[in-house]
Amino acid sequence: MDGTDVAMKITKNSYSYYNVTETETVVAQMFMNLGSDTLRSNFIAEPLAAFTHMYRRIFVFPLFGSDLYKHINRLSNVVWNVAYQLL
């Protein structure tokens, strides 16, 4: 790449998991072919690359500046608060 920071998703190194993630690879390739404008307007992160090393599938995305797990935890707390208020 060009020295830009990126986020990588690296799947498990097993044959069975490799087969399960085949669809994910097809979708990533489809998104790479769509183009940045279409993906951004639909709030989809554009995969920069998708490749295989042994039985690992590796996906490269732009880095958006924070840890995904922090966002998931925050969203989870919001969902629980809303559910609590509804009940």
Side-chain angles (χ1 to χ4, degrees):
M1 299 259 163
D2 61 1
T4 305
D5 290 335
V6 295
M8 296 178 68
K9 176 182 180 180
I10 303 171
T11 62
K12 295 179 184 177
N13 189 19
S14 72
Y15 182 74
S16 60
Y17 203 77
Y18 178 82
N19 287 334
V20 170
T21 58
E22 176 64 28
T23 303
E24 193 170 358
T25 302
V26 170
V27 171
Q29 292 294 335
M30 180 185 73
F31 282 168
M32 284 188 280
N33 293 334
L34 278 177
S36 299
D37 293 336
T38 303
L39 295 175
R40 282 192 202 118
S41 65
N42 289 293
F43 304 101
I44 299 171
E46 179 182 9
L48 302 174
F51 56 94
T52 302
H53 178 264
M54 299 179 78
Y55 288 113
R56 287 184 196 270
R57 296 193 190 273
I58 301 168
F59 303 93
V60 182
F61 295 93
L63 183 63
F64 291 112
S66 185
D67 185 346
L68 178 61
Y69 291 108
K70 290 178 186 175
H71 293 289
I72 290 172
N73 288 336
R74 187 171 354 132
L75 180 60
S76 176
N77 291 335
V78 169
V79 170
W80 278 108
N81 286 333
V82 169
Y84 178 77
Q85 291 174 16
L86 289 172
L87 293 173

